[in-house]
Amino acid sequence: MTTHVSEEQVRWWLDRNAIQDVTPHSQEETEFNLQVTLSRLPIHLIKEEQRGPIRVVGRSGFDTDRAKRLIRDEESRTELLSQLGPVLATTPGFYTFLDKEGQACELRNAETLQLEHRIYPGEATQQALMDSVMAIATGMRYVQNLLAATIPGALPGPADPDDPDEEDA
């Protein structure tokens, strides 16, 4: 059973056909923090202590005016959460909505969505690492695409036949 996974091991496990870039971020409180790029999405591989897990962390910002209007409006936020729910529930690990200061908060006050999956030393393999990176990236891309395709106050749903601005399908 593996009890320690080194930065060198993690680098060796990365599939260079999928990962475009690896950038180390030095932080005193971590054993290592590597930012990898998969399909233009930055994902961090963080190990805080020698025998601890590898944290696979991705963040998607609610950084456009459109996204902020969606999450601030109660009706739009409820519909948005119903569409985000299935992907958040099936992405491995857990998710947290973060405010401007990086503290956990409710969606209505969120600036960022953080997705995190932990790989513990006994389960650490190349397959586990790449599956986790790809799953976090998939969740991030889904969130980005949903936010880009959604118009505040007009989330996808059945067409209103009485609305003259609604196009016929």
Side-chain angles (χ1 to χ4, degrees):
M1 175 197 283
T2 304
T3 58
H4 172 65
V5 179
S6 68
E7 177 181 346
E8 292 74 26
Q9 181 67 61
V10 168
R11 285 177 178 271
W12 187 83
W13 279 341
L14 293 172
D15 179 350
R16 295 305 178 140
N17 292 319
I19 302 295
Q20 288 85 39
D21 194 26
V22 179
T23 306
H25 290 255
S26 60
Q27 295 176 323
E28 290 181 27
E29 65 275 359
T30 63
E31 189 164 310
F32 63 82
N33 181 347
L34 300 174
Q35 179 180 307
V36 300
T37 305
L38 175 67
S39 186
R40 297 178 302 161
L41 295 168
I43 298 171
H44 284 264
L45 308 176
I46 304 166
K47 188 160 181 212
E48 293 165 333
E49 50 192 54
Q50 186 177 31
R51 296 189 190 281
I54 300 165
R55 296 175 51 223
V56 181
V57 180
R59 290 186 173 184
S60 290
F62 302 123
D63 50 3
T64 65
D65 288 339
R66 176 187 197 143
K68 288 179 183 179
R69 283 194 309 271
L70 279 169
I71 64 172
R72 302 297 188 261
D73 176 72
E74 188 169 341
E75 187 177 325
S76 294
R77 182 177 56 252
T78 300
E79 181 64 28
L80 178 66
L81 194 53
S82 75
Q83 293 186 21
L84 284 175
V87 85
L88 295 177
T90 58
T91 299
F94 61 97
Y95 66 93
T96 307
F97 296 114
L98 303 173
D99 63 16
K100 289 179 184 178
E101 287 77 40
Q103 299 298 312
C105 67
E106 293 182 19
L107 177 57
R108 82 182 81 234
N109 301 316
E111 295 289 323
T112 306
L113 168 64
Q114 177 173 294
L115 301 170
E116 179 173 335
H117 183 237
R118 294 177 180 217
I119 304 170
Y120 291 88
E123 301 298 317
T125 64
Q126 181 178 27
Q127 188 69 53
L129 179 70
M130 289 306 302
D131 283 351
S132 183
V133 168
M134 290 185 176
I136 294 295
T138 298
M140 291 171 62
R141 181 67 74 213
Y142 180 86
V143 169
Q144 288 177 349
N145 289 342
L146 181 61
L147 290 171
T150 304
I151 300 169
L155 287 158
D160 182 355
D162 298 326
D163 187 347
D165 293 332
E166 195 73 41
E167 291 184 30
D168 293 327

